[in-house]
Amino acid sequence: MDHRLIHWELAAKTAATLGTPGPKLTPAEASAVVADLRRHADAAVGHVHEITRLEAARDLRDSDVLIVDRASWARANVHSFEAIIDRPLREAAAKHSEKLSATSAAVTARATGAEMGAILSFLSSKVLGQFDPFAPLKRPHLPEAGRLLLVAPNIVEVERELNVEPADFRLWVCLHEQTHRVQFAAAPWLRDYLLGSIAELVEGMLGKADSLGERLTRLFTEKTPLTELIRDEHDREIMSRLTAVMSLLEGHANVVMDGVDCSIVPSVKTIRQRFARRGADRGAIENWLRRVLGLDAKMRQYADGQKFVSAVVRQIGMEGFNRVWERPEHLPTEHELHHPQEWVDRMQA
């Protein structure tokens, strides 16, 4: 019996079929945008190094920078999800094979694949950039370095919508995403830490399900919040750990963005103001989708993590904060994220 519970090929095909291409550009304009984004992506590394004081940011050259369209972004994320959760899903399905017939498994796989594709199609028109630490490079000497994805049509669309200086906006976007790239370079153990935690969560969550197929279908097709599927205390602890890490990563990137002044991005104040106002103009349908997909929770992670990083840096400086990248034991707990003094005390003990 095939224990695959997500039809990955269908997910990628659905995302590409449902997606829209974005703003129209001539071949010459598209080439110029790609070249400009590459230039700004390279320039951003030096600025991130200056603000974070992380040596991992000095002349960083250990991951791919890909300028992609919406369909390519969606396909890349299908492949990353497969790398992250396919093995634990298959193992959970194998353990519960007596509860899941071959027919129901096939139906579940296609349903979840189609739904994942639809979700990624929606997100593909919203994401400006992303560092993907889970995608291996095709270079033997750098097997797990990850890749930076910049979604060109979305960047062009938003800079036009906001009526901001394209060069400034593109550098501003690259600074945020390159910060994520630097985080994983500074903490080379972080990728495996996250992979292990996610696998443990998936195995625990699905392994305890009374009906594996039904539970997985609810997650993807009914958009049941993940927290409703986590009932075991141990699984809740893993979820808390993951929440703290993701909040830290996003908050740290926002602190770096706040460290950018007009000497780096001349129109940075205008970009911040207009980008912040943009979120208030979303329609009812998009707001609903953002809630069910957890995107509003992600925005709260930005704020929680940013408060933690800012508080720590104010007290012990950026060098003191950078101890967080040294080893897993130095990561803040979700409790410490909201009580930064306790993390500082633990690091100074």
Side-chain angles (χ1 to χ4, degrees), residues 89-104:
L89 281 178
R90 284 178 181 267
E91 291 178 356
K95 292 177 183 178
H96 290 257
S97 58
E98 72 283 358
K99 300 180 182 179
L100 195 65
S101 69
T103 300
S104 62

Side-chain angles (χ1 to χ4, degrees), residues 115-321:
E115 186 66 19
M116 175 180 283
I119 291 171
L120 288 173
S121 173
F122 166 75
L123 294 176
S124 71
S125 66
K126 310 298 177 187
V127 175
L128 301 180
Q130 170 193 7
F131 179 69
D132 180 2
F134 305 112
L137 293 178
K138 296 180 180 179
R139 288 179 284 177
H141 63 295
L142 296 171
E144 308 292 357
R147 60 188 173 189
L148 179 66
L149 305 174
L150 296 171
V151 190
N154 295 348
I155 293 173
V156 171
E157 185 172 77
V158 173
E159 69 191 24
R160 290 178 176 178
E161 175 190 335
L162 299 181
N163 191 27
V164 293
E165 173 59 41
D168 287 1
F169 185 71
R170 294 169 190 180
L171 177 57
W172 189 72
V173 171
C174 289
L175 284 163
H176 185 98
E177 303 310 329
Q178 287 286 34
T179 300
H180 288 315
R181 185 184 176 202
V182 168
Q183 291 165 347
F184 281 86
W189 47 265
L190 185 56
R191 177 186 184 275
D192 287 340
Y193 176 86
L194 288 173
L195 278 175
S197 297
I198 293 169
E200 189 178 357
L201 180 63
V202 170
E203 289 165 0
M205 183 179 69
L206 297 181
K208 299 178 181 69
D210 295 330
S211 173
L212 183 60
E214 178 184 350
R215 190 66 62 86
L216 192 61
T217 301
R218 284 182 60 203
L219 177 62
F220 284 101
T221 63
E222 298 179 19
K223 299 181 178 69
T224 301
L226 182 61
T227 52
E228 289 188 13
L229 303 181
I230 301 175
R231 301 170 182 171
D232 181 84
E233 184 60 32
H234 178 65
D235 294 343
R236 290 183 183 277
E237 290 175 4
I238 300 171
M239 190 64 189
S240 174
R241 197 163 68 222
L242 285 169
T243 298
V245 174
M246 299 312 297
S247 299
L248 171 73
L249 298 180
E250 296 296 351
H252 178 243
N254 269 12
V255 168
V256 172
M257 298 292 283
D258 280 352
V260 174
D261 58 24
C262 60
S263 67
I264 299 174
V265 179
S267 59
V268 64
K269 291 183 179 179
T270 300
I271 290 172
R272 284 176 181 151
Q273 291 170 353
R274 295 181 184 177
F275 194 80
R277 286 202 303 267
R278 178 175 178 265
D281 296 332
R282 292 193 295 265
I285 292 178
E286 182 173 341
N287 280 328
W288 176 79
L289 280 170
R290 292 181 70 87
R291 284 196 301 272
V292 297
L293 295 178
L295 300 184
D296 287 338
K298 183 178 176 66
M299 295 306 295
R300 288 194 294 274
Q301 288 180 357
Y302 282 38
D304 292 343
Q306 185 170 356
K307 289 176 183 176
F308 170 81
V309 176
S310 297
V312 171
V313 171
R314 280 196 303 270
Q315 182 166 346
I316 60 176
M318 188 63 77
E319 289 84 357
F321 165 78

Side-chain angles (χ1 to χ4, degrees), residues 324-335:
V324 77
W325 312 116
E326 293 177 355
R327 57 182 63 91
E329 294 78 14
H330 286 186
L331 290 171
T333 64
E334 190 174 9
H335 173 80

